[in-house]
């Protein structure tokens, strides 16, 4: 058929049709298509319809969508995963597979309130789409235990990717007792404790998370050096007796005023010479990207808190300085994560 569309319409299509790409991916993943094609490559439409429990025509629509968008490949009558989807079938509990349930059940509808959230300067997406009354995503997750499980599976898979590097690249040799604020399901703490065998770690996270983390810590035999306690980082003072504080994937959730408050609180709880480590996705100092910093900023604003965004390393260093912490160095981890390291004056 002759292409009658204007070139600029075609060029813009990936933007205004992006929701179809996601829905093909999400539906196929939920049906287990990538899993069955991983085990049985080359299944036909009829085989797949039967395995997924679908009528022939809906199965045909799903397969057309997946084929046209590069999620599966059709060879003769047989369907196969592509390089993109092979990991989804092979490792459903790891990144990138763990993003799909979280985007499907947690974020997709909520992010469609971006316009309203920017206009109102509030997280309208959370308020409209995630049941409950708490003002932040984390409080609302405690009201939705199933979604909380999906979130922590996703978050642990993301953290697993950086936790090994954090443990190996961030020098903890001078410190004895680390406070991991917003430490979640203990992914960073576990990796750090295994790498730095003299280090004790206290995770401070919301009270609904601490039991989950302690269970995992006990299973891994680390309970003598790692523990999780209930801590509301905004309402409680940080416990004393630590010589380093870690904020991993935490500060970017909050407004710059609150970040400064948390850094001041960390500084107050530390002795002179104490370490401060901020693990965070970053925005380039010249504010041009990368793309992930834009996605995450929209997510924090529309859903998670209504006040955070991905900040530049330069901003963190300035806030360190204001809080009496000397910025010591930046350690880059992968393409878009940085550790800002500081020392209390
Ligand atoms: C994005 S997750 C990061 C988890 C972990 N640090 C990591 O890197 O995997 C943010 C964490 O902050 C916790 N959190 C949210 N509000 C908090 C608060 N007011 N005080 C302490 N922790 C909080 C959440 O429960 C969640 O575990």
């Amino acid at each position: 058929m002759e292409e009658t569309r204007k070139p600029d319409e075609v060029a813009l299509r990936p933007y205004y049709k992006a929701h179809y790409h996601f829905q093909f991916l999400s539906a196929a993943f939920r049906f287990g298509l990538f899993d069955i094609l991983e085990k049985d490559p080359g299944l036909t439409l009829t085989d797949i319809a039967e395995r997924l429990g679908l009528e022939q025509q809906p199965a045909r629509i799903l397969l057309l969508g997946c084929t046209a968008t590069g999620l599966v490949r059709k060879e003769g009558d047989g369907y196969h995963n592509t390089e993109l989807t092979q990991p989804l079938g092979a490792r459903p509990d790891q990144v990138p597979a763990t993003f799909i349930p979280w985007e499907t059940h947690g974020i997709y509808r909520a992010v469609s309130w971006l316009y309203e959230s920017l206009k109102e300067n509030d997280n309208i997406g959370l308020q409209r789409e995630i049941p409950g009354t708490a003002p932040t995503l984390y409080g609302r997750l405690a009201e939705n235990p199933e979604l909380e499980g999906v979130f922590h599976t996703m978050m642990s898979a993301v953290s697993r990717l950086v936790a090994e590097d954090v443990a190996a690249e961030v020098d903890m040799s001078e410190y004895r007792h680390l406070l991991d604020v917003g430490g979640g399901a203990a992914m960073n703490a576990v990796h750090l404790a295994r790498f730095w065998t003299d280090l004790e770690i206290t995770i401070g996270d919301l009270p609904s998370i601490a039991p989950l983390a302690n269970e995992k810590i006990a299973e891994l035999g680390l309970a003598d050096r790692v523990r999780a306690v209930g801590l509301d980082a905004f309402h409680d003072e940080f416990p004393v007796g630590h010589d380093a504080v870690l904020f991993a994937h935490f500060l970017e959730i909050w407004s710059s005023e609150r970040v400064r408050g948390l850094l001041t609180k960390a500084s107050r709880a530390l002795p002179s010479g104490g370490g401060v480590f901020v693990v965070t996705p970053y925005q380039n100092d010249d504010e041009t990207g990368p793309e992930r910093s834009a996605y995450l900023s929209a997510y924090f604003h529309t859903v998670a808190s209504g006040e955070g965004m991905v900040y530049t390393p330069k901003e963190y260093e300035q806030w360190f300085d204001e809080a009496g912490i000397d910025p010591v160095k930046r350690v880059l981890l992968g393409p878009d994560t940085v550790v800002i390291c500081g020392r209390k004056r």
Side-chain angles (χ1 to χ4, degrees), residues 136-139 141 148 151-152 154-160 162-163 166 180-189 203-210 229-236 238 246-254 258 262 279 299-300 304:
T136 71
L137 173 68
Y138 311 96
L141 288 176
E148 188 170 53
F151 173 81
H152 282 287
M154 177 281 296
M155 198 62 230
S156 294
V158 172
S159 302
R160 192 177 303 134
V162 284
V166 170
D180 179 2
V181 178
M187 188 57 74
N188 289 303
I203 296 170
D205 204 299
L206 295 174
S208 64
I209 304 303
V229 299
L231 172 85
D232 185 322
F234 298 108
H235 296 115
D236 305 330
F238 290 175
L246 170 69
F247 298 102
H249 300 121
F250 185 68
L251 293 183
E252 62 274 20
I253 301 168
W254 313 110
R258 295 239 244 179
L262 289 167
V279 178
Y299 158 71
F300 294 128

Short mmCIF file of all heavy atoms in Angstrom, two decimals, residues 136-139 141 148 151-152 154-160 162-163 166 180-189 203-210 229-236 238 246-254 258 262 279 299-300 304, ligand 1:
data_model
loop_
_atom_site.label_atom_id
_atom_site.label_comp_id
_atom_site.label_asym_id
_atom_site.label_seq_id
_atom_site.Cartn_x
_atom_site.Cartn_y
_atom_site.Cartn_z
N THR A 136 2.08 9.89 50.24
CA THR A 136 3.16 9.46 49.35
C THR A 136 2.92 8.01 48.93
O THR A 136 2.19 7.26 49.58
CB THR A 136 4.56 9.53 50.01
OG1 THR A 136 4.64 8.50 51.01
CG2 THR A 136 4.82 10.88 50.63
N LEU A 137 3.60 7.64 47.87
CA LEU A 137 3.49 6.26 47.37
C LEU A 137 3.83 5.25 48.45
O LEU A 137 3.16 4.23 48.59
CB LEU A 137 4.46 6.10 46.18
CG LEU A 137 4.58 4.67 45.65
CD1 LEU A 137 3.29 4.22 44.98
CD2 LEU A 137 5.75 4.57 44.66
N TYR A 138 4.88 5.55 49.24
CA TYR A 138 5.38 4.56 50.19
C TYR A 138 4.36 4.29 51.28
O TYR A 138 4.16 3.15 51.70
CB TYR A 138 6.75 5.00 50.72
CG TYR A 138 7.62 5.38 49.55
CD1 TYR A 138 7.74 6.71 49.14
CD2 TYR A 138 8.20 4.40 48.77
CE1 TYR A 138 8.45 7.05 48.01
CE2 TYR A 138 8.91 4.73 47.63
CZ TYR A 138 9.03 6.05 47.25
OH TYR A 138 9.71 6.39 46.11
N GLY A 139 3.68 5.34 51.74
CA GLY A 139 2.59 5.16 52.71
C GLY A 139 1.44 4.39 52.07
O GLY A 139 0.84 3.52 52.69
N LEU A 141 1.64 2.25 49.64
CA LEU A 141 2.00 0.84 49.43
C LEU A 141 1.69 0.04 50.68
O LEU A 141 1.24 -1.11 50.59
CB LEU A 141 3.49 0.72 49.07
CG LEU A 141 3.87 1.22 47.67
CD1 LEU A 141 5.37 1.13 47.46
CD2 LEU A 141 3.14 0.43 46.57
N GLU A 148 2.74 -3.43 47.22
CA GLU A 148 4.00 -3.21 47.95
C GLU A 148 5.00 -4.32 47.60
O GLU A 148 6.18 -4.07 47.39
CB GLU A 148 3.74 -3.18 49.47
CG GLU A 148 4.96 -2.78 50.26
CD GLU A 148 4.64 -2.53 51.74
OE1 GLU A 148 4.04 -3.41 52.37
OE2 GLU A 148 5.00 -1.45 52.25
N PHE A 151 6.34 -3.67 44.15
CA PHE A 151 7.32 -2.57 44.20
C PHE A 151 8.67 -3.06 44.71
O PHE A 151 9.71 -2.79 44.11
CB PHE A 151 6.81 -1.43 45.11
CG PHE A 151 7.85 -0.36 45.33
CD1 PHE A 151 8.06 0.62 44.38
CD2 PHE A 151 8.64 -0.35 46.48
CE1 PHE A 151 9.04 1.59 44.56
CE2 PHE A 151 9.62 0.62 46.67
CZ PHE A 151 9.82 1.60 45.72
N HIS A 152 8.66 -3.80 45.82
CA HIS A 152 9.94 -4.20 46.41
C HIS A 152 10.66 -5.25 45.57
O HIS A 152 11.89 -5.29 45.56
CB HIS A 152 9.77 -4.58 47.88
CG HIS A 152 9.67 -3.36 48.74
ND1 HIS A 152 10.75 -2.55 49.02
CD2 HIS A 152 8.61 -2.74 49.31
CE1 HIS A 152 10.37 -1.51 49.73
NE2 HIS A 152 9.06 -1.61 49.93
N MET A 154 10.59 -5.18 42.29
CA MET A 154 11.20 -4.34 41.25
C MET A 154 12.41 -3.59 41.82
O MET A 154 13.49 -3.58 41.26
CB MET A 154 10.14 -3.35 40.73
CG MET A 154 10.59 -2.35 39.70
SD MET A 154 11.48 -0.92 40.33
CE MET A 154 10.25 -0.11 41.34
N MET A 155 12.21 -2.98 43.01
CA MET A 155 13.25 -2.13 43.59
C MET A 155 14.49 -2.97 43.94
O MET A 155 15.62 -2.55 43.71
CB MET A 155 12.68 -1.45 44.84
CG MET A 155 13.46 -0.25 45.31
SD MET A 155 13.49 1.07 44.10
CE MET A 155 15.24 1.43 44.05
N SER A 156 14.25 -4.18 44.47
CA SER A 156 15.40 -5.03 44.83
C SER A 156 16.16 -5.44 43.59
O SER A 156 17.39 -5.52 43.60
CB SER A 156 14.93 -6.30 45.57
OG SER A 156 14.39 -5.93 46.81
N ALA A 157 15.42 -5.70 42.49
CA ALA A 157 16.11 -6.09 41.24
C ALA A 157 16.94 -4.92 40.71
O ALA A 157 18.05 -5.12 40.22
CB ALA A 157 15.10 -6.56 40.21
N VAL A 158 16.40 -3.69 40.82
CA VAL A 158 17.16 -2.51 40.38
C VAL A 158 18.38 -2.35 41.28
O VAL A 158 19.51 -2.16 40.81
CB VAL A 158 16.29 -1.22 40.47
CG1 VAL A 158 17.13 0.03 40.21
CG2 VAL A 158 15.14 -1.28 39.48
N SER A 159 18.15 -2.44 42.58
CA SER A 159 19.24 -2.21 43.54
C SER A 159 20.31 -3.28 43.40
O SER A 159 21.50 -3.00 43.59
CB SER A 159 18.72 -2.21 44.96
OG SER A 159 17.75 -1.23 45.10
N ARG A 160 19.87 -4.52 43.08
CA ARG A 160 20.86 -5.60 42.93
C ARG A 160 21.90 -5.22 41.88
O ARG A 160 23.08 -5.51 42.02
CB ARG A 160 20.15 -6.90 42.53
CG ARG A 160 21.04 -8.13 42.63
CD ARG A 160 20.27 -9.40 42.30
NE ARG A 160 19.10 -9.58 43.14
CZ ARG A 160 17.89 -9.93 42.69
NH1 ARG A 160 17.66 -10.11 41.41
NH2 ARG A 160 16.89 -10.08 43.54
N VAL A 162 23.05 -2.30 41.14
CA VAL A 162 24.05 -1.31 41.59
C VAL A 162 24.69 -1.69 42.92
O VAL A 162 25.78 -1.23 43.23
CB VAL A 162 23.49 0.13 41.70
CG1 VAL A 162 23.33 0.77 40.35
CG2 VAL A 162 22.22 0.20 42.47
N ALA A 163 24.02 -2.57 43.71
CA ALA A 163 24.50 -2.83 45.07
C ALA A 163 25.90 -3.44 45.08
O ALA A 163 26.74 -3.07 45.91
CB ALA A 163 23.53 -3.75 45.81
N VAL A 166 28.21 -0.63 44.39
CA VAL A 166 28.30 0.27 45.55
C VAL A 166 29.26 -0.33 46.56
O VAL A 166 30.19 0.33 47.04
CB VAL A 166 26.91 0.49 46.20
CG1 VAL A 166 27.05 1.22 47.53
CG2 VAL A 166 25.99 1.26 45.27
N ASP A 180 21.66 3.22 57.15
CA ASP A 180 21.17 3.18 55.76
C ASP A 180 19.72 3.70 55.77
O ASP A 180 18.78 2.96 56.07
CB ASP A 180 21.26 1.71 55.28
CG ASP A 180 20.76 1.50 53.86
OD1 ASP A 180 20.37 2.48 53.21
OD2 ASP A 180 20.74 0.33 53.44
N VAL A 181 19.58 5.00 55.48
CA VAL A 181 18.26 5.64 55.61
C VAL A 181 17.41 5.32 54.38
O VAL A 181 17.84 5.52 53.25
CB VAL A 181 18.41 7.18 55.77
CG1 VAL A 181 17.05 7.84 55.86
CG2 VAL A 181 19.27 7.51 56.98
N GLY A 182 16.19 4.79 54.63
CA GLY A 182 15.33 4.37 53.51
C GLY A 182 15.92 3.16 52.82
O GLY A 182 15.86 3.03 51.60
N GLY A 183 16.49 2.27 53.63
CA GLY A 183 17.24 1.12 53.08
C GLY A 183 16.39 0.03 52.49
O GLY A 183 16.92 -0.95 51.94
N GLY A 184 15.06 0.12 52.63
CA GLY A 184 14.14 -0.80 51.95
C GLY A 184 14.38 -2.26 52.32
O GLY A 184 14.60 -2.60 53.48
N ALA A 185 14.36 -3.12 51.31
CA ALA A 185 14.43 -4.56 51.54
C ALA A 185 15.88 -5.05 51.70
O ALA A 185 16.17 -6.21 51.46
CB ALA A 185 13.73 -5.30 50.41
N ALA A 186 16.80 -4.17 52.11
CA ALA A 186 18.16 -4.53 52.55
C ALA A 186 19.13 -4.93 51.45
O ALA A 186 20.19 -5.47 51.74
CB ALA A 186 18.11 -5.63 53.62
N MET A 187 18.81 -4.64 50.21
CA MET A 187 19.71 -5.08 49.13
C MET A 187 21.10 -4.46 49.26
O MET A 187 22.11 -5.15 49.18
CB MET A 187 19.07 -4.71 47.79
CG MET A 187 19.77 -5.26 46.60
SD MET A 187 19.93 -7.05 46.61
CE MET A 187 18.27 -7.56 46.24
N ASN A 188 21.16 -3.15 49.48
CA ASN A 188 22.48 -2.51 49.63
C ASN A 188 23.17 -2.99 50.89
O ASN A 188 24.36 -3.28 50.88
CB ASN A 188 22.34 -0.98 49.66
CG ASN A 188 21.96 -0.43 48.30
OD1 ASN A 188 22.66 -0.66 47.33
ND2 ASN A 188 20.84 0.25 48.22
N ALA A 189 22.41 -3.06 51.98
CA ALA A 189 22.99 -3.44 53.27
C ALA A 189 23.62 -4.84 53.18
O ALA A 189 24.73 -5.07 53.66
CB ALA A 189 21.93 -3.40 54.36
N ILE A 203 19.50 -0.38 59.16
CA ILE A 203 18.61 0.15 58.13
C ILE A 203 17.47 0.86 58.85
O ILE A 203 16.85 0.30 59.75
CB ILE A 203 18.00 -1.01 57.29
CG1 ILE A 203 19.11 -1.74 56.54
CG2 ILE A 203 16.94 -0.49 56.34
CD1 ILE A 203 18.62 -3.03 55.90
N GLY A 204 17.21 2.12 58.45
CA GLY A 204 16.06 2.82 59.00
C GLY A 204 15.06 3.03 57.88
O GLY A 204 15.34 3.72 56.90
N ASP A 205 13.90 2.39 57.99
CA ASP A 205 12.88 2.55 56.95
C ASP A 205 11.52 2.55 57.64
O ASP A 205 11.43 2.34 58.86
CB ASP A 205 12.97 1.40 55.92
CG ASP A 205 12.38 1.79 54.55
OD1 ASP A 205 11.18 2.10 54.50
OD2 ASP A 205 13.12 1.76 53.56
N LEU A 206 10.47 2.80 56.88
CA LEU A 206 9.13 2.89 57.47
C LEU A 206 8.80 1.58 58.21
O LEU A 206 9.26 0.50 57.80
CB LEU A 206 8.10 3.15 56.37
CG LEU A 206 8.27 4.50 55.67
CD1 LEU A 206 7.31 4.63 54.50
CD2 LEU A 206 8.07 5.65 56.65
N PRO A 207 8.01 1.66 59.28
CA PRO A 207 7.76 0.48 60.11
C PRO A 207 7.21 -0.73 59.35
O PRO A 207 7.47 -1.86 59.74
CB PRO A 207 6.75 0.99 61.15
CG PRO A 207 6.97 2.46 61.20
CD PRO A 207 7.43 2.89 59.85
N SER A 208 6.48 -0.51 58.23
CA SER A 208 5.94 -1.69 57.51
C SER A 208 7.05 -2.46 56.79
O SER A 208 6.86 -3.62 56.41
CB SER A 208 4.87 -1.24 56.49
OG SER A 208 5.43 -0.43 55.49
N ILE A 209 8.21 -1.83 56.59
CA ILE A 209 9.28 -2.47 55.81
C ILE A 209 10.26 -3.24 56.68
O ILE A 209 10.80 -4.27 56.27
CB ILE A 209 10.08 -1.40 55.01
CG1 ILE A 209 9.15 -0.59 54.13
CG2 ILE A 209 11.19 -2.01 54.17
CD1 ILE A 209 8.36 -1.42 53.16
N ALA A 210 10.50 -2.74 57.92
CA ALA A 210 11.56 -3.32 58.75
C ALA A 210 11.41 -4.85 58.94
O ALA A 210 12.41 -5.57 58.79
CB ALA A 210 11.61 -2.58 60.09
N VAL A 229 15.32 -1.11 61.52
CA VAL A 229 14.44 -0.52 62.54
C VAL A 229 13.45 0.41 61.86
O VAL A 229 13.73 0.95 60.80
CB VAL A 229 15.24 0.26 63.62
CG1 VAL A 229 16.22 -0.64 64.36
CG2 VAL A 229 15.99 1.45 63.00
N GLY A 230 12.29 0.59 62.49
CA GLY A 230 11.30 1.54 61.98
C GLY A 230 11.83 2.96 62.18
O GLY A 230 12.24 3.31 63.29
N LEU A 231 11.86 3.74 61.12
CA LEU A 231 12.33 5.13 61.23
C LEU A 231 11.59 5.97 60.20
O LEU A 231 11.57 5.63 59.02
CB LEU A 231 13.84 5.20 60.92
CG LEU A 231 14.44 6.61 60.81
CD1 LEU A 231 14.83 7.15 62.18
CD2 LEU A 231 15.67 6.63 59.91
N ASP A 232 10.96 7.04 60.66
CA ASP A 232 10.44 8.01 59.70
C ASP A 232 11.48 9.11 59.59
O ASP A 232 11.68 9.89 60.54
CB ASP A 232 9.08 8.57 60.17
CG ASP A 232 8.49 9.49 59.11
OD1 ASP A 232 9.27 10.23 58.47
OD2 ASP A 232 7.28 9.46 58.91
N ALA A 233 12.16 9.15 58.48
CA ALA A 233 13.32 10.03 58.32
C ALA A 233 12.97 11.49 58.54
O ALA A 233 13.83 12.29 58.88
CB ALA A 233 13.92 9.84 56.93
N PHE A 234 11.70 11.85 58.35
CA PHE A 234 11.32 13.26 58.51
C PHE A 234 10.90 13.59 59.94
O PHE A 234 11.21 14.66 60.44
CB PHE A 234 10.20 13.62 57.54
CG PHE A 234 10.65 13.47 56.12
CD1 PHE A 234 10.17 12.43 55.33
CD2 PHE A 234 11.60 14.32 55.59
CE1 PHE A 234 10.63 12.27 54.04
CE2 PHE A 234 12.06 14.17 54.29
CZ PHE A 234 11.57 13.13 53.51
N HIS A 235 10.24 12.64 60.60
CA HIS A 235 9.71 12.97 61.93
C HIS A 235 10.62 12.53 63.07
O HIS A 235 10.55 13.08 64.15
CB HIS A 235 8.31 12.36 62.09
CG HIS A 235 7.34 12.98 61.12
ND1 HIS A 235 6.74 12.28 60.11
CD2 HIS A 235 6.94 14.26 60.98
CE1 HIS A 235 5.99 13.10 59.40
NE2 HIS A 235 6.09 14.31 59.90
N ASP A 236 11.48 11.54 62.82
CA ASP A 236 12.36 11.05 63.89
C ASP A 236 13.76 11.63 63.71
O ASP A 236 14.19 11.86 62.58
CB ASP A 236 12.47 9.51 63.84
CG ASP A 236 11.09 8.84 63.89
OD1 ASP A 236 10.18 9.42 64.50
OD2 ASP A 236 10.94 7.75 63.31
N PHE A 238 17.73 10.99 63.62
CA PHE A 238 18.48 9.79 63.25
C PHE A 238 19.12 9.22 64.51
O PHE A 238 19.62 9.98 65.35
CB PHE A 238 19.58 10.12 62.24
CG PHE A 238 19.06 10.49 60.87
CD1 PHE A 238 19.93 10.91 59.88
CD2 PHE A 238 17.70 10.40 60.56
CE1 PHE A 238 19.47 11.25 58.61
CE2 PHE A 238 17.23 10.73 59.29
CZ PHE A 238 18.11 11.16 58.32
N LEU A 246 24.16 6.43 54.78
CA LEU A 246 23.92 6.16 53.36
C LEU A 246 22.49 6.53 53.02
O LEU A 246 21.55 6.16 53.75
CB LEU A 246 24.12 4.64 53.12
CG LEU A 246 23.70 4.08 51.76
CD1 LEU A 246 24.61 4.60 50.65
CD2 LEU A 246 23.75 2.54 51.77
N PHE A 247 22.32 7.27 51.92
CA PHE A 247 20.99 7.49 51.35
C PHE A 247 21.03 6.88 49.95
O PHE A 247 21.70 7.46 49.06
CB PHE A 247 20.68 8.98 51.20
CG PHE A 247 20.64 9.78 52.48
CD1 PHE A 247 21.71 10.59 52.86
CD2 PHE A 247 19.50 9.78 53.28
CE1 PHE A 247 21.65 11.37 54.02
CE2 PHE A 247 19.44 10.55 54.44
CZ PHE A 247 20.51 11.34 54.81
N ALA A 248 20.41 5.74 49.74
CA ALA A 248 20.48 5.11 48.40
C ALA A 248 19.10 5.16 47.75
O ALA A 248 18.12 4.68 48.34
CB ALA A 248 20.96 3.67 48.51
N HIS A 249 19.03 5.73 46.57
CA HIS A 249 17.76 5.86 45.84
C HIS A 249 16.69 6.44 46.75
O HIS A 249 15.57 5.95 46.82
CB HIS A 249 17.30 4.49 45.30
CG HIS A 249 18.27 3.88 44.36
ND1 HIS A 249 18.86 2.66 44.58
CD2 HIS A 249 18.77 4.33 43.19
CE1 HIS A 249 19.68 2.39 43.58
NE2 HIS A 249 19.65 3.37 42.73
N PHE A 250 17.03 7.45 47.48
CA PHE A 250 16.12 7.99 48.48
C PHE A 250 15.95 9.51 48.36
O PHE A 250 14.82 10.00 48.32
CB PHE A 250 16.61 7.61 49.89
CG PHE A 250 15.67 8.02 50.99
CD1 PHE A 250 14.43 7.42 51.12
CD2 PHE A 250 16.01 9.03 51.89
CE1 PHE A 250 13.54 7.80 52.13
CE2 PHE A 250 15.14 9.40 52.90
CZ PHE A 250 13.90 8.79 53.02
N LEU A 251 17.05 10.27 48.28
CA LEU A 251 16.91 11.73 48.37
C LEU A 251 16.16 12.32 47.18
O LEU A 251 15.43 13.30 47.33
CB LEU A 251 18.29 12.39 48.51
CG LEU A 251 19.03 12.08 49.82
CD1 LEU A 251 20.35 12.83 49.87
CD2 LEU A 251 18.18 12.43 51.04
N GLU A 252 16.31 11.69 45.99
CA GLU A 252 15.67 12.24 44.79
C GLU A 252 14.14 12.20 44.87
O GLU A 252 13.45 12.85 44.08
CB GLU A 252 16.17 11.51 43.53
CG GLU A 252 15.86 10.02 43.45
CD GLU A 252 16.90 9.13 44.14
OE1 GLU A 252 17.65 9.63 44.99
OE2 GLU A 252 16.93 7.92 43.82
N ILE A 253 13.61 11.44 45.82
CA ILE A 253 12.15 11.37 45.97
C ILE A 253 11.60 12.70 46.50
O ILE A 253 10.44 13.03 46.28
CB ILE A 253 11.78 10.25 46.99
CG1 ILE A 253 12.30 8.89 46.52
CG2 ILE A 253 10.28 10.20 47.25
CD1 ILE A 253 12.23 7.80 47.60
N TRP A 254 12.46 13.49 47.17
CA TRP A 254 11.96 14.62 47.97
C TRP A 254 12.37 15.97 47.39
O TRP A 254 13.30 16.07 46.60
CB TRP A 254 12.46 14.47 49.42
CG TRP A 254 12.26 13.07 49.94
CD1 TRP A 254 13.23 12.14 50.21
CD2 TRP A 254 11.00 12.42 50.20
NE1 TRP A 254 12.65 10.96 50.63
CE2 TRP A 254 11.30 11.10 50.64
CE3 TRP A 254 9.66 12.81 50.13
CZ2 TRP A 254 10.31 10.18 50.99
CZ3 TRP A 254 8.67 11.89 50.47
CH2 TRP A 254 9.00 10.61 50.90
N ARG A 258 13.56 19.52 51.55
CA ARG A 258 13.61 18.34 52.42
C ARG A 258 14.96 17.62 52.32
O ARG A 258 15.45 17.09 53.31
CB ARG A 258 12.49 17.38 52.03
CG ARG A 258 11.12 18.00 52.30
CD ARG A 258 10.36 17.15 53.24
NE ARG A 258 9.18 16.62 52.59
CZ ARG A 258 8.32 15.82 53.20
NH1 ARG A 258 8.53 15.44 54.43
NH2 ARG A 258 7.27 15.39 52.56
N LEU A 262 17.36 16.68 55.38
CA LEU A 262 17.86 15.33 55.68
C LEU A 262 19.39 15.32 55.77
O LEU A 262 19.96 14.65 56.64
CB LEU A 262 17.39 14.34 54.60
CG LEU A 262 15.89 14.01 54.63
CD1 LEU A 262 15.46 13.30 53.35
CD2 LEU A 262 15.54 13.15 55.85
N VAL A 279 23.62 7.62 46.97
CA VAL A 279 23.56 6.84 45.72
C VAL A 279 22.29 7.28 45.01
O VAL A 279 21.19 7.17 45.57
CB VAL A 279 23.48 5.33 46.03
CG1 VAL A 279 23.36 4.52 44.73
CG2 VAL A 279 24.67 4.86 46.84
N TYR A 299 7.99 10.59 37.36
CA TYR A 299 7.43 9.60 38.29
C TYR A 299 7.39 10.13 39.72
O TYR A 299 6.37 10.03 40.42
CB TYR A 299 8.27 8.32 38.16
CG TYR A 299 8.25 7.37 39.32
CD1 TYR A 299 7.12 6.61 39.61
CD2 TYR A 299 9.38 7.19 40.12
CE1 TYR A 299 7.11 5.72 40.67
CE2 TYR A 299 9.38 6.30 41.17
CZ TYR A 299 8.25 5.57 41.45
OH TYR A 299 8.25 4.69 42.50
N PHE A 300 8.49 10.75 40.17
CA PHE A 300 8.48 11.27 41.54
C PHE A 300 7.42 12.36 41.69
O PHE A 300 6.72 12.43 42.69
CB PHE A 300 9.86 11.83 41.94
CG PHE A 300 10.92 10.77 42.02
CD1 PHE A 300 12.12 10.89 41.35
CD2 PHE A 300 10.70 9.62 42.77
CE1 PHE A 300 13.08 9.89 41.41
CE2 PHE A 300 11.65 8.61 42.85
CZ PHE A 300 12.84 8.76 42.16
N ALA A 304 5.16 9.35 43.10
CA ALA A 304 5.80 8.93 44.35
C ALA A 304 5.60 9.93 45.49
O ALA A 304 5.19 9.54 46.59
CB ALA A 304 7.28 8.68 44.11
C1 LIG B 1 13.20 3.93 46.18
S1 LIG B 1 13.19 2.99 47.65
C2 LIG B 1 14.94 2.71 47.91
C3 LIG B 1 15.25 1.50 48.74
C4 LIG B 1 16.75 1.20 48.96
N1 LIG B 1 17.47 2.29 49.57
C5 LIG B 1 17.41 0.80 47.68
O1 LIG B 1 18.30 1.51 47.20
O2 LIG B 1 17.03 -0.27 47.17
C6 LIG B 1 12.78 4.22 48.83
C7 LIG B 1 12.64 3.70 50.22
O3 LIG B 1 12.36 4.81 51.09
C8 LIG B 1 11.48 4.37 52.11
N2 LIG B 1 10.84 5.54 52.72
C9 LIG B 1 9.88 6.32 52.19
N3 LIG B 1 9.53 7.31 53.05
C10 LIG B 1 10.33 7.16 54.13
C11 LIG B 1 10.48 7.88 55.34
N4 LIG B 1 9.73 8.95 55.62
N5 LIG B 1 11.40 7.45 56.24
C12 LIG B 1 12.17 6.36 55.98
N6 LIG B 1 12.09 5.64 54.83
C13 LIG B 1 11.18 6.03 53.92
C14 LIG B 1 10.54 3.44 51.35
O4 LIG B 1 9.84 2.58 52.24
C15 LIG B 1 11.50 2.71 50.41
O5 LIG B 1 11.99 1.52 50.99
#
